[in-house]
Amino acid sequence: MTATDRTSSPIPEAARDPARPRAILVVDDHDLVRMGVCALLQANVSATPIEVLEAGDLAQALAVYEDNQDAIELVLLDLALPDTQGLSGLMEFRSRHPAARIVVLSGTGTTSLAQDTLAQGAMTLGAFAFLPKSATLREVVSFIRACGLLGGDAVNYPAFPAPAAVDVAQPSSSNARHKLTKRQLQVLNWLLEGKSNNEIALLAEISEGTVKNYVAGILLQFGMRSRAQLISSLR
């Protein structure tokens, strides 16, 4: 089942502050997800600069949007935020800012039917698109590129399913492994063994914060959104 398609519609120039670069607001309560999306967006900009703004919950997202709505052209909104439930975050955002272009990111539905139902609900409430959280970071960025926000011409793009059909080169697991440092490979092996950050820190004799930095770098190399997604893809 496919939700209604929406084509990209750039914000009118008169509505934007010409002194500011275009911006994307990333709303997710996971630091690693926000960091990964931000890094890939900045690495893939091919024309004018794009500003990446972040928020960890709905209240913060609404405040950031209020202060920067003249520049924000797209909002990546996670449904599973600490201060939301189901589609409530999308409903609140749309009621406060009906002109906002919101791409919903969701990992709530575990079955195809559940995902379809959630996607239909999001689109009915005015979401610009729906991307399941099974989509990798690189697929999310590919979707944003297809909207014309990273340089180049926008293209018509279906709202659901995830943007795996975008014609971009996805890194293979072997290529991603080849780019890892010796220490990152060691941490990756421990991750695949199911060890926690604390256990890895003890084994490697480093701080847990350093382990988190290694994990973040590994996720970015593979274009994954979470360690669970990484482990699932490599096993």
Side-chain angles (χ1 to χ4, degrees):
M1 189 182 303
T2 302
T4 303
D5 295 353
R6 297 182 191 272
T7 57
S8 58
S9 52
I11 291 178
E13 289 298 323
R16 297 184 61 250
D17 180 356
R20 291 194 60 178
R22 297 178 301 171
I24 291 175
L25 173 58
V26 182
V27 188
D28 198 296
D29 62 328
H30 291 90
D31 293 341
L32 293 182
V33 172
R34 296 200 309 273
M35 182 175 68
V37 172
C38 292
L40 285 176
L41 285 174
Q42 297 293 3
N44 281 274
V45 172
S46 60
T48 56
I50 191 162
E51 186 177 3
V52 182
L53 306 174
E54 300 179 47
D57 57 37
L58 181 65
Q60 184 182 10
L62 290 170
V64 171
Y65 191 89
E66 184 70 32
D67 292 340
N68 301 276
Q69 57 185 302
D70 61 312
I72 295 174
E73 296 197 11
L74 198 68
V75 178
L76 300 181
L77 179 66
D78 180 21
L79 290 185
L81 297 172
D83 52 352
T84 65
Q85 184 174 8
L87 293 169
S88 65
L90 173 62
M91 294 173 64
E92 177 68 14
F93 212 115
R94 290 283 298 162
S95 67
R96 295 273 293 274
H97 302 288
R101 290 201 304 175
I102 302 174
V103 173
V104 169
L105 302 173
S106 174
T108 304
T110 56
T111 67
S112 177
L113 179 59
Q115 289 282 17
D116 284 355
T117 301
L118 196 60
Q120 286 188 329
M123 300 300 290
T124 299
L125 291 172
F128 177 67
F130 177 95
L131 303 180
K133 272 199 167 179
S134 58
T136 67
L137 291 178
R138 295 182 189 278
E139 289 170 338
V140 172
V141 172
S142 295
F143 174 85
I144 297 171
R145 178 182 292 282
C147 292
L149 295 181
L150 299 179
D153 297 328
V155 298
N156 294 347
Y157 199 77
F160 182 79
V166 173
D167 186 20
V168 294
Q170 299 291 336
S172 66
S173 295
S174 59
N175 287 340
R177 282 177 184 268
H178 182 71
K179 294 179 181 179
L180 297 180
T181 66
K182 183 177 180 180
R183 176 63 93 177
Q184 284 178 322
L185 281 171
Q186 189 177 39
V187 171
L188 174 61
N189 289 332
W190 282 324
L191 285 175
L192 295 178
E193 291 173 4
K195 289 182 169 53
S196 67
N197 286 353
N198 182 57
E199 290 173 324
I200 294 173
L202 292 173
L203 287 169
E205 299 182 339
I206 56 179
S207 71
E208 194 167 346
T210 301
V211 174
K212 289 181 180 179
N213 290 336
Y214 278 125
V215 173
I218 293 168
L219 292 177
L220 188 57
Q221 287 287 359
F222 283 89
M224 298 296 171
R225 295 173 58 81
S226 68
R227 62 196 296 158
Q229 187 182 47
L230 174 68
I231 292 170
S232 176
S233 69
L234 294 182
R235 282 183 174 174

